[in-house]
Amino acid sequence: MTMTATKPAATKPTIAMYDVLGPQGQRKVRNATWVGAAVVAIIVALGLYQLGSHGQLSPDLWSVLLDRDLMRSVLKGLLATIQCAIVSIVLSVVFGMILAAMRMSDSRLLRGVVRVWVEIFRGLPLLVLIFFIFLGAPQFGIIVPTFWALALGISLYNSAVMSEIFRAGIASLPRGQAEAAAAIGMRKTQIFRIILLPQGIRIMLPALISQVVTIVKETSLGFVIGYTELLRSGRVAVEYLGGQYAIPVYVLIAIIYLLMNVGLSKLARRIDARS
């Protein structure tokens, strides 16, 4: 009888991006987690105690959230926020792609102009930029509605940030892909649009998600120029109902913002998994 030797099954190498914690490290992490959770629970309990001692947890006070007029006003503000956020996100992404493509141009002059443009709009506070558009444009005879003043201000600021995200994602790709595409006769615009951008987007996706969430939150700055978005709708409701209802109304506004941003993050992760 002859015996044949069998090779052990090949195993895929495990690539670790960080050092795996040992038993002592895992125990420290668990202890720190429990301590952190206990601290948060104590802070929440103290906050609830203070609210209760001042009558802010009264059922009669929180029943205002069932008021039809309040919900109608909040819903109207929510739709205005979503509308402004969608327009701002689309414009930021489109302008960001254009700026990133221009930043990688062979023209030194064009690269310099885009670099100055990006640094200016990244350095300006967003609120100042919104004021420049809303209050400065009428000095030249151009009346800008509150919606477009907010959307354009957010888009100009975030397009500069988006361009850096796109540029960093594309720069992280191997140069051989662009060189191979150029060798078979593809133009630079085709290389950017067909080869580099689709691959770069997957690398950029976490940063893009974070910036989209930031844009949604930045729409709340519309209240300073009179745009009736979600936060301003809540403020108007508090002024109408009375200051004693401020906490229930603003808690509702905060929960709506939280649900929107968490939903955006989960949607983006699902899209990334399917792609």
Side-chain angles (χ1 to χ4, degrees):
M1 179 182 296
T2 59
M3 299 180 63
T4 57
T6 58
K7 295 182 178 180
T11 58
K12 294 184 179 180
T14 302
I15 301 176
M17 301 299 293
Y18 52 87
D19 293 333
V20 179
L21 293 175
Q24 186 176 0
Q26 293 178 1
R27 185 166 55 253
K28 288 181 178 179
V29 170
R30 284 196 300 268
N31 293 337
T33 301
W34 281 109
V35 170
V39 171
V40 171
I42 292 172
I43 293 174
V44 171
L46 289 175
L48 292 175
Y49 173 77
Q50 289 295 325
L51 290 174
S53 63
H54 290 82
Q56 292 295 323
L57 298 180
S58 171
D60 294 335
L61 196 65
W62 287 82
S63 64
V64 71
L65 299 181
L66 302 178
D67 185 78
R68 289 186 177 182
D69 292 334
L70 172 63
M71 298 308 298
R72 190 179 297 111
S73 176
V74 170
L75 179 59
K76 184 179 179 181
L78 175 60
L79 294 177
T81 292
I82 293 174
Q83 182 182 7
C84 185
I86 290 174
V87 172
S88 300
I89 290 168
V90 172
L91 292 179
S92 298
V93 170
V94 172
F95 291 156
M97 287 183 181
I98 295 173
L99 290 172
M102 294 170 65
R103 185 74 181 271
M104 294 184 292
S105 171
D106 291 333
S107 172
R108 182 177 298 179
L109 176 62
L110 186 59
R111 293 199 307 269
V113 170
V114 174
R115 186 181 297 112
V116 172
W117 175 279
V118 169
E119 292 301 327
I120 288 175
F121 285 102
R122 284 178 63 191
L124 282 175
L126 177 56
L127 189 57
V128 173
L129 189 57
I130 294 172
F131 276 133
F132 276 156
I133 297 173
F134 184 68
L135 301 177
Q139 303 301 320
F140 300 94
I142 303 173
I143 305 299
V144 182
T146 55
F147 172 84
W148 285 109
L150 179 61
L152 289 176
I154 294 175
S155 301
L156 288 173
Y157 177 81
N158 285 280
S159 63
V161 179
M162 290 282 191
S163 69
E164 291 300 291
I165 294 175
F166 285 124
R167 188 175 68 88
I170 292 172
S172 66
L173 298 174
R175 295 184 59 183
Q177 298 192 25
E179 294 172 354
I184 62 176
M186 295 183 68
R187 297 189 299 272
K188 286 201 170 184
T189 54
Q190 292 177 315
I191 295 174
F192 179 81
R193 178 172 52 88
I194 300 174
I195 305 297
L196 300 179
L197 188 59
Q199 297 182 79
I201 286 178
R202 296 195 63 184
I203 300 174
M204 312 166 202
L205 196 57
L208 289 176
I209 295 170
S210 176
Q211 202 59 34
V212 166
V213 171
T214 300
I215 290 175
V216 174
K217 292 187 290 186
E218 287 172 347
T219 58
S220 61
L221 293 176
F223 82 95
V224 298
I225 58 173
Y227 180 65
T228 311
E229 39 70 53
L230 182 57
L231 182 59
R232 183 173 176 83
S233 298
R235 182 178 179 181
V236 171
V238 170
E239 292 175 354
Y240 175 77
L241 295 170
Q244 68 272 21
Y245 296 103
I247 291 180
V249 172
Y250 286 130
V251 166
L252 174 63
I253 300 299
I255 291 174
I256 293 174
Y257 272 115
L258 184 62
L259 291 177
M260 282 196 299
N261 293 329
V262 171
L264 281 173
S265 299
K266 288 187 176 181
L267 177 62
R269 285 196 295 267
R270 182 170 297 180
I271 293 174
D272 180 42
R274 289 189 176 183
S275 63

